[in-house]
Amino acid sequence: MGKERVKKGPVEKQGLQYELTCMCCPVGCKLRGTLSPEAESKIIAHTCPVGWSYAAQEQRIRTRMVTALVPVTRGTVPLRVRSSKPVLKENIYQVLTELSKVTATVPIFEGQSIVKDICGFEVDIVAAEEYY
């Protein structure tokens, strides 16, 4: 077959190119995309649908689950805690600073709320394990 003639459209303005690593599974696929204020942002390279949804989420708003250790009264081993839902990436330091002032009291059950509505972000800090 010969060369096909393609009608060229207007040149799109280049957006901000980015690369990130998917954290949804242990594979850790590399994702590439373009952020553009004028046009729709594009996800250029992804391996699976989970990676595509992760990249789309990262384009809109960056959030992370927060995990930490909290001291326990009458205990020598700290309690593992986590956030009940993801926290905005820029608010993680504020959450951890507030969490450093907390001490849990025994008995503690897995999933029990240790701090409700931390820093007013509508996120609870819950126990990730039982502690007696």
Side-chain angles (χ1 to χ4, degrees):
M1 301 191 101
K3 293 183 181 179
E4 295 180 14
R5 296 190 181 253
V6 178
K7 185 177 180 183
K8 293 185 178 181
V11 177
E12 289 184 7
K13 292 184 179 179
Q14 289 288 350
L16 174 68
Q17 300 287 324
Y18 69 91
E19 264 190 29
L20 56 104
T21 303
C22 181
M23 296 188 293
C24 294
C25 71
V27 175
C29 301
K30 299 292 182 196
L31 307 168
R32 287 183 301 150
T34 305
L35 293 175
S36 177
E38 289 94 24
E40 186 177 323
S41 299
K42 296 178 183 172
I43 300 164
I44 301 165
H46 61 89
T47 307
C48 66
V50 176
W52 185 90
S53 63
Y54 175 76
Q57 171 67 27
E58 284 292 299
Q59 283 182 351
R60 283 184 263 120
I61 186 165
R62 293 178 172 221
T63 59
R64 299 288 185 269
M65 292 295 288
V66 176
T67 60
L69 297 172
V70 172
V72 179
T73 59
R74 295 183 286 144
T76 56
V77 179
L79 172 71
R80 292 182 302 138
V81 295
R82 63 176 176 79
S83 58
S84 59
K85 59 184 181 181
V87 176
L88 289 173
K89 200 170 177 183
E90 59 265 16
N91 295 335
I92 291 175
Y93 182 76
Q94 188 177 355
V95 168
L96 290 174
T97 302
E98 191 65 29
L99 201 53
S100 69
K101 303 171 189 172
V102 173
T103 302
T105 56
V106 292
I108 301 163
F109 302 99
E110 186 176 351
Q112 177 182 338
S113 181
I114 304 299
V115 181
K116 291 188 183 281
D117 193 25
I118 194 160
C119 301
F121 296 140
E122 298 177 0
V123 174
D124 294 341
I125 301 298
V126 298
E129 62 186 348
E130 293 186 352
Y131 199 107
Y132 299 104

